[in-house]
């Protein structure tokens, strides 16, 4: 059994989610429901759930405000939200689960299963949540940190230290200004979605580059770029026009 607390400011949403869990997730035990961050804080402290299904946008305090009330977050979190696109990217990138409203039953079942696996494997990392909160507070900072998932766990890096990303099947290699390389357990598409806001451009299906780390562009059918680490990367022909336009704005 996995013990759960539901937090949502809309009573109908709380009740609907509870019914979905009882009907489709038989291993779920609902310890209680709360309609505000303040109420949820007391409920979570009292009941000590393994998992919190947490709405983000609530009056009188967001879901992130609730998480900040805890010195130690010893429970898993699945966000249930229609929150802004940046937050969704950040949540997903930090390997946290989220469900978009209206909640799909299949996605709910999958998310509960993932949370159950993490709980059973004792693989929760409090720093994931505190790091997410920091990223959301300072999302416009050029020195924003990111959590990169690897086979050993999360590695925290500064965005502007990245020169380029290279796809390796379902993995992605990250190359840094200090000459180091890190293999992450995320596809390059995930990096493209997150890093496009930080002057990164996917010039080829296998390559995402930091536009600020391009030393020279060489003309050609698609052309190619010379990066500051000495690497040369082809620009896909179909990407050339968009790339040159984007490069002119850096």
């Amino acid at each position: 059994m996995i013990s759960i607390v539901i937090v949502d400011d809309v009573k109908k949403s709380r009740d609907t989610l509870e019914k979905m869990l009882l009907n489709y997730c038989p291993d779920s035990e609902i310890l209680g429901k709360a309609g505000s961050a303040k109420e949820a804080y007391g409920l979570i402290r009292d009941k000590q759930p393994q998992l919190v299904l947490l709405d983000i946008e609530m009056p009188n305090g967001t879901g992130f405000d609730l998480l900040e009330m805890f010195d130690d977050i010893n429970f898993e979190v699945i966000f249930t939200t229609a929150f802004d696109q940046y937050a969704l990217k950040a949540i997903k990138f930090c390997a946290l689960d989220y469900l978009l409203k209206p909640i799909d039953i299949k996605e709910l079942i999958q998310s509960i299963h993932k949370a159950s696996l993490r709980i059973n494997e004792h693989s929760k990392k409090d720093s994931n949540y505190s790091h997410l909160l920091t990223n959301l507070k300072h999302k416009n900072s050029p020195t924003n940190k990111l959590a990169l998932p690897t086979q050993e766990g999360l590695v925290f890096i500064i965005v502007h230290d990245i020169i380029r990303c290279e796809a390796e099947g379902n993995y992605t290699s990250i190359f840094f200004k200090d000459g180091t390389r890190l293999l992450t357990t995320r596809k390059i598409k995930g990096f493209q979605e997150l890093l496009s806001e930080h002057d990164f451009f996917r010039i080829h299906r296998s390559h995402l580059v930091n536009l600020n780390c391009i030393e020279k562009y060489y003309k050609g059918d698609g052309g190619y770029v010379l990066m500051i680490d000495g690497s040369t990367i082809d620009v896909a022909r179909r990407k050339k026009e968009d790339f040159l336009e984007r490069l002119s704005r850096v």
Side-chain angles (χ1 to χ4, degrees):
M1 295 293 288
I2 177 172
S3 58
I4 300 173
V5 162
I6 298 171
V7 183
D8 196 303
D9 64 304
V10 179
K11 183 180 186 301
K12 183 178 180 180
S13 296
R14 297 195 299 270
D15 294 342
T16 298
L17 187 51
E18 180 180 29
K19 288 179 182 178
M20 291 173 70
L21 288 168
L22 293 176
N23 290 333
Y24 299 100
C25 302
D27 291 334
S28 300
E29 178 187 7
I30 311 302
L31 299 182
K33 298 178 288 183
S36 67
K38 183 178 180 180
E39 182 185 359
Y41 177 73
L43 181 61
I44 293 169
R45 287 286 299 271
D46 181 47
K47 298 295 186 178
Q48 294 292 306
Q50 294 170 303
L51 172 66
V52 174
L53 296 179
L54 180 59
D55 188 17
I56 292 181
E57 291 185 292
M58 300 182 290
N60 304 316
T62 68
F64 300 123
D65 293 329
L66 171 62
L67 294 180
E68 287 187 313
M69 295 179 187
F70 292 91
D71 293 327
D72 295 305
I73 300 175
N74 59 357
F75 49 86
E76 291 293 341
V77 176
I78 294 177
F79 290 104
T80 59
T81 181
F83 205 53
D84 72 272
Q85 193 62 31
Y86 178 89
L88 292 181
K89 292 178 184 177
I91 292 166
K92 183 177 180 180
F93 201 81
C94 287
L96 305 177
D97 291 321
Y98 68 92
L99 295 167
L100 283 176
K101 296 178 179 179
I103 294 173
D104 179 81
I105 292 174
K106 290 183 179 179
E107 292 180 354
L108 174 63
I109 294 171
Q110 291 173 353
S111 291
I112 294 296
H113 178 66
K114 290 177 184 178
S116 180
L117 289 177
R118 288 208 297 264
I119 290 168
N120 292 334
E121 294 171 359
H122 304 287
S123 60
K124 297 185 294 295
K125 294 185 181 293
D126 297 350
S127 58
N128 294 9
Y129 298 97
S130 60
H131 181 70
L132 170 61
L133 294 172
T134 300
N135 271 359
L136 290 172
K137 284 181 179 179
H138 306 289
K139 63 182 181 182
N140 294 321
S141 170
T143 59
N144 195 20
K145 286 187 177 181
L146 293 179
L148 300 184
T150 71
Q151 291 181 326
E152 291 75 32
L154 289 175
V155 176
F156 300 96
I157 59 90
I158 304 295
V159 171
H160 68 217
D161 286 342
I162 300 174
I163 295 176
R164 58 190 180 92
C165 307
E166 182 174 345
E168 296 191 25
N170 290 328
Y171 297 84
T172 302
S173 286
I174 310 296
F175 295 83
F176 298 95
K177 292 179 181 178
D178 64 1
T180 59
R181 169 183 170 275
L182 180 69
L183 182 65
T184 69
T185 56
R186 284 288 183 274
K187 292 183 178 180
I188 197 168
K189 181 179 179 181
F191 288 94
Q192 178 185 2
E193 292 175 352
L194 188 67
L195 294 175
S196 61
E197 299 173 5
H198 298 272
D199 288 338
F200 281 75
F201 190 91
R202 192 170 178 180
I203 62 174
H204 184 280
R205 66 184 180 85
S206 298
H207 297 280
L208 177 70
V209 301
N210 184 342
L211 297 176
N212 295 297
C213 292
I214 294 176
E215 191 166 290
K216 191 172 182 179
Y217 168 71
Y218 291 88
K219 296 179 180 180
D221 192 16
Y224 66 95
V225 295
L226 172 66
M227 305 301 295
I228 61 173
D229 63 351
S231 59
T232 56
I233 304 171
D234 289 334
V235 178
R237 183 170 53 185
R238 61 185 178 84
K239 296 276 190 176
K240 179 178 179 180
E241 184 176 345
D242 289 340
F243 164 65
L244 293 177
E245 192 279 329
R246 182 67 183 83
L247 187 62
S248 69
R249 294 188 280 113
V250 175

